[in-house]
Amino acid sequence: RRAALGALCAPFDAVYGRDALDERMADRIDLKALENVVTKFLPRIADCVIDVSPKVQERATKLLLALLREGFLDEVEDEKVWNQINLRALAPDATPLARRDALYFVMEQLEAFDDDDDDDDEED
């Protein structure tokens, strides 16, 4: 599970990670090419945030945060998936890294609502 999640994280790490490639190489990576894979395996990826292995939890939370930031989760309406990820921010059994990424996940969602409110205020 950890290796599979790592493989899915690799393109995001290459573009945005600490060991990001030079700009020419990063521009060649099309993250949207992962859309079908993400759609098919999203429930399983979300289940990995509650995996028995802390390393799997961390990797899954990191991947889901990257997917959220890239817009892969914009059309997801499954409340179970959202709640499962969001609750990891408060889970006592989550590692600090998983908890941090889950908290970022929640904050990113809230920022989207704030942006919508700002747009509505400008229209009034």
Side-chain angles (χ1 to χ4, degrees), residues 41-47 49 64 73 76-88 105 109:
F41 292 106
L42 182 61
R44 181 66 187 116
I45 296 168
D47 285 344
V49 301
L64 287 160
L73 306 181
V76 175
E77 296 182 12
D78 186 351
E79 289 297 318
K80 179 185 175 249
V81 170
W82 289 104
N83 290 337
Q84 194 167 322
I85 302 162
N86 292 340
L87 291 174
R88 297 310 294 166
F105 191 88
Q109 293 171 64

Side-chain angles (χ1 to χ4, degrees), residues 3-114:
L5 291 169
L8 289 171
C9 279
F12 296 97
D13 290 342
V15 174
Y16 301 114
R18 275 184 266 145
D19 55 336
L21 303 171
D22 64 73
E23 201 168 303
R24 294 177 313 214
M25 291 300 290
D27 288 341
R28 293 182 187 174
I29 297 175
D30 181 14
L31 296 174
K32 293 297 179 188
L34 293 169
E35 192 166 356
N36 291 334
V37 173
V38 170
T39 301
K40 182 174 183 173
F41 292 106
L42 182 61
R44 181 66 187 116
I45 296 168
D47 285 344
C48 286
V49 301
I50 56 171
D51 195 90
V52 295
S53 168
K55 294 293 183 189
V56 172
Q57 291 178 23
E58 291 172 356
R59 187 95 27 122
T61 308
K62 178 182 176 182
L63 175 59
L64 287 160
L65 179 59
L67 293 173
L68 178 69
R69 288 177 172 164
E70 280 297 314
F72 284 91
L73 306 181
D74 289 350
E75 303 299 320
V76 175
E77 296 182 12
D78 186 351
E79 289 297 318
K80 179 185 175 249
V81 170
W82 289 104
N83 290 337
Q84 194 167 322
I85 302 162
N86 292 340
L87 291 174
R88 297 310 294 166
L90 303 172
D93 63 328
T95 66
L97 186 59
R99 194 175 301 123
R100 182 202 67 192
D101 286 342
L103 185 57
Y104 284 149
F105 191 88
V106 171
M107 290 170 38
E108 294 276 338
Q109 293 171 64
L110 295 175
E111 285 178 14
F113 286 114
D114 286 343

